[in-house]
Amino acid sequence: MVKRLLILLFILSSTNLFGQIKIAPVEFYWVKRVDSALNIIKTYDISVYDTLTKYCTNIGFWNGRYSSIDGINEILITKNDVTSGPLNNLAAVIVHESKHLQYVNNNILLPIEKEEIECFLYEKHFLLKIPNVENWLIQNADKEIKRFQGN
């Protein structure tokens, strides 16, 4: 009983640790990983973190193939993105999706290819600020940029 109360207390308190961002209390491990990813963002790029908190009020989860946004203020993270891979990848996903939210909130309409290129460039710029970041994350951003450029 005490263990359940402590878990519930953590989930409820963690949803407000980072500004106004509320994390859907789906799974203790998921909330903890998102909290850790948000801390990475705040630690290594306060400007990106400020943009994130300006446009994102909720982080939820879904079973889609890719992480995405919902409406004008929510990031939806796939089960795969939240449960597997390094925390730096999860942080990159959140940063990438926050750029989409920035565009939506500012009524910036771009062809999807151009928007994805901009979001992957934003993600890559963030990743380069993390000491000893996994090289494959930067390579993946480069690969996606080339894919959306048609190369």
Side-chain angles (χ1 to χ4, degrees):
M1 180 66 168
V2 171
K3 184 178 178 182
R4 287 183 184 169
L5 287 173
L6 288 174
I7 290 171
L8 180 62
L9 179 62
F10 173 80
I11 290 172
L12 293 175
S13 66
S14 68
T15 59
N16 292 318
L17 284 178
F18 292 94
Q20 299 299 313
I21 299 175
K22 292 184 175 61
I23 304 167
V26 173
E27 179 96 28
F28 175 76
Y29 175 70
W30 295 14
V31 172
K32 185 177 177 184
R33 282 186 55 89
V34 170
D35 275 342
S36 297
L38 291 171
N39 193 43
I40 289 169
I41 298 166
K42 187 175 184 179
T43 300
Y44 294 109
D45 196 329
I46 196 67
S47 175
V48 167
Y49 179 79
D50 288 344
T51 298
L52 170 66
T53 58
K54 180 176 181 179
Y55 298 111
C56 180
T57 59
N58 299 295
I59 294 180
F61 307 97
W62 77 313
N63 290 320
R65 187 169 178 196
Y66 300 104
S67 292
S68 186
I69 61 171
D70 187 26
I72 62 169
N73 61 7
E74 183 171 18
I75 293 173
L76 295 175
I77 302 173
T78 65
K79 178 181 179 182
N80 185 57
D81 282 338
V82 78
T83 60
S84 63
L87 285 172
N88 289 334
N89 182 57
L90 181 54
V93 166
I94 293 169
V95 167
H96 178 103
E97 298 305 330
S98 73
K99 190 67 169 176
H100 286 295
L101 286 178
Q102 183 181 26
Y103 286 150
V104 168
N105 277 275
N106 289 291
N107 296 313
I108 298 171
L109 301 173
L110 298 173
I112 189 64
E113 295 82 8
K114 175 73 171 154
E115 184 171 334
E116 285 298 335
I117 291 166
E118 293 298 320
C119 292
F120 278 110
L121 285 169
Y122 188 66
E123 175 183 329
K124 179 183 175 182
H125 182 73
F126 164 74
L127 286 168
L128 289 170
K129 294 182 178 183
I130 301 173
N132 302 313
V133 70
E134 296 82 354
N135 195 43
W136 69 266
L137 292 172
I138 295 166
Q139 291 172 345
N140 183 68
D142 285 336
K143 180 186 85 172
E144 292 299 319
I145 290 165
K146 287 179 184 173
R147 181 170 74 95
F148 282 103
Q149 288 172 333
N151 297 329

